[in-house]
Amino acid sequence: MEIRTEELETCPLCGSKDREVLFTNTDRLHGIPGIFVLNKCTNCSVYFLSPKPALDDLSRYYPDNYLPHQTIATASDSQLRNRIRDIIRNTILYEIYHVKTYTDKSRLKPALIGKFFSYLMFPVWRYAHYGLQKISSPKYIEGGRVLDIGCGNGNYLRILRKFGWNTYGIEPSETAAESGRKQFGLNIVTGTILDYKFPDNYFHVISMNHVLEHLHNPVQVLTEIKRIVRTDGTIAIRTPNMDSFGYKIFGKNWLHIDTPRHLMLYSKDSFSWLCKKVGLDIQYFDTAPGSNVLASSLEYARRDKKGLQDTGIRNTYLLSQKVYSAILNLIEKVLIALGSPAGDELQVVIKKTGDL
């Protein structure tokens, strides 16, 4: 069946007609037919597809094997190794990070032994939060409510629930939502944030983890988020960074271009423009490397150079590719350490205007 596309006469973010046409691209991940063009608005600096898939056909680019929609593989808690791991994690979270909800969980006691052991384990402190990055690990609030928009199979909500949060999820894919409901008993509804009318000032934390780039209506979505987040609440967003070292090196082969699922892509300037339009203040801004982003981009570039049509991410690379990607990752980390916004993703915490 033919997939319909539509042309945009104006920028979908600011309405300007002025644009720079960058390059054409295809679906490099799943190989679903279609040719699309990435443009950059010269007014607000957002990157956008035009032509892009018609909204009614967009779901066809999210097939059943789309990775964020897959069931989470988990090991049995009865295994000795996992029990030991959980005791170590619980002890660190309680003694070092003072997570009150871990008072009754299995950990080393008495407190003196637990605290002494926890300090000895300082090399693994960063793993105690289940691998969550800084903006994805909010300080616990008793009775706090967190909403994850585009929650996929609910893995993030599953972790926050362990910390004591009351969790809510919204996910467009019924397959992914059902996976989270059945596997973990999570409160996940199917649809978009605009399909549900939550009370004003309801959520303490709202998260969008690599969701913003998939939206065709970011102003409308963020306006609704602004309504339902508490005046003292926060909105945590992670999205690809078009100022990144990876994009500058790989261009159309950069993994996060992900045509045509990524309808709009942002730099710090365009993200700031969006926040200002909606009436949100940036409280925290940073960039960070992405897992295997540069290695996968290198593989895309290799295939492109050789004219290969195969698709997908294999995560199996030649030794030369591993060495080259390791060098690129090191350069990226050095640039970030020197203050350059070179990371593969933007990490931003925002609040309602005037609430800082």
Side-chain angles (χ1 to χ4, degrees):
M1 184 183 298
E2 182 180 358
I3 298 178
R4 296 167 297 172
T5 61
E6 59 179 305
E7 297 273 358
L8 301 180
E9 296 184 0
T10 61
C11 169
L13 187 58
C14 73
S16 173
K17 293 185 178 181
D18 299 325
R19 71 181 72 181
E20 177 185 0
V21 178
L22 300 176
F23 50 76
T24 60
N25 217 351
T26 57
D27 180 3
R28 308 290 293 279
L29 187 60
H30 295 291
I32 300 171
I35 297 176
F36 308 93
V37 179
L38 188 69
N39 306 265
K40 181 181 181 182
C41 176
T42 55
N43 180 50
C44 69
S45 298
V46 76
Y47 296 73
F48 63 95
L49 288 183
S50 178
K52 66 180 185 66
L55 289 181
D56 290 343
D57 289 350
L58 186 58
S59 62
R60 297 179 61 190
Y61 286 97
Y62 296 85
D64 290 341
N65 62 338
Y66 182 59
L67 185 60
H69 294 172
Q70 303 307 299
T71 300
I72 306 165
T74 57
S76 171
D77 287 338
S78 64
Q79 296 180 15
L80 178 61
R81 184 177 62 179
N82 291 320
R83 289 181 64 84
I84 293 173
R85 177 206 61 197
D86 288 342
I87 289 173
I88 293 173
R89 170 180 281 132
N90 297 346
T91 304
I92 292 172
L93 288 172
Y94 184 79
E95 299 293 352
I96 301 300
Y97 294 101
H98 310 295
V99 181
K100 296 179 180 178
T101 53
Y102 274 63
T103 301
D104 299 325
K105 294 184 182 294
S106 298
R107 54 187 171 84
L108 292 179
K109 298 176 183 178
L112 183 62
I113 293 177
K115 193 172 292 293
F116 177 74
F117 176 81
S118 296
Y119 277 107
L120 287 180
M121 297 296 291
F122 71 91
V124 300
W125 284 0
R126 65 191 183 97
Y127 299 107
H129 285 84
Y130 299 86
L132 296 183
Q133 299 194 33
K134 181 178 179 180
I135 72 163
S136 300
S137 185
K139 185 177 180 180
Y140 174 69
I141 299 171
E142 187 172 357
R145 292 180 290 268
V146 59
L147 171 66
D148 191 20
I149 299 173
C151 65
N153 51 29
N155 187 46
Y156 177 53
L157 293 176
R158 176 175 67 97
I159 294 171
L160 288 189
R161 189 174 62 181
K162 290 177 181 288
F163 290 118
W165 290 93
N166 296 312
T167 57
Y168 302 73
I170 295 179
E171 169 55 44
S173 166
E174 175 58 28
T175 301
E178 182 63 13
S179 172
R181 289 192 292 259
K182 290 182 66 175
Q183 194 174 7
F184 302 112
L186 293 167
N187 178 14
I188 301 176
V189 295
T190 305
T192 73
I193 186 64
L194 302 179
D195 296 326
Y196 299 92
K197 292 300 180 183
F198 292 105
D200 293 351
N201 304 309
Y202 190 67
F203 292 103
H204 297 80
V205 176
I206 297 179
S207 171
M208 286 202 297
N209 180 17
H210 284 270
V211 170
L212 186 66
E213 62 271 20
H214 295 264
L215 302 178
H216 71 279
N217 55 347
V219 173
Q220 189 178 7
V221 168
L222 281 181
T223 298
E224 177 64 7
I225 290 173
K226 179 183 175 183
R227 181 185 70 80
I228 63 177
V229 72
R230 289 169 57 94
T231 54
D232 57 349
T234 57
I235 305 160
I237 294 177
R238 295 168 60 195
T239 191
N241 173 28
M242 294 301 284
D243 284 334
S244 69
F245 173 68
Y247 175 66
K248 291 176 181 178
I249 293 294
F250 292 108
K252 66 182 291 185
N253 294 311
W254 187 48
L255 180 67
H256 279 324
I257 293 297
D258 199 21
T259 308
R261 284 162 292 276
H262 290 181
L263 301 176
M264 300 172 68
L265 291 156
Y266 301 83
S267 62
K268 183 178 182 179
D269 287 345
S270 54
F271 188 88
S272 299
W273 195 99
L274 172 61
C275 289
K276 184 176 180 180
K277 181 177 180 65
V278 177
L280 295 165
D281 281 334
I282 295 178
Q283 181 184 31
Y284 169 85
F285 172 89
D286 199 1
T287 70
S291 176
N292 291 325
V293 171
L294 297 182
S296 299
S297 302
L298 182 61
E299 175 62 13
Y300 277 175
R302 185 187 71 85
R303 296 179 200 170
D304 190 50
K305 183 177 181 179
K306 293 189 174 184
L308 300 177
Q309 299 301 313
D310 57 332
T311 58
I313 301 171
R314 304 248 172 84
N315 290 325
T316 55
Y317 308 108
L318 302 172
L319 178 60
S320 58
Q321 291 176 285
K322 292 180 180 179
V323 172
Y324 187 26
S325 63
I327 294 172
L328 293 177
N329 275 290
L330 178 60
I331 294 172
E332 180 185 47
K333 290 178 180 178
V334 170
L335 290 172
I336 294 172
L338 293 174
S340 171
D344 291 302
E345 67 175 26
L346 298 175
Q347 298 188 343
V348 190
V349 176
I350 52 182
K351 303 187 73 169
K352 293 182 180 181
T353 301
D355 294 325
L356 295 179

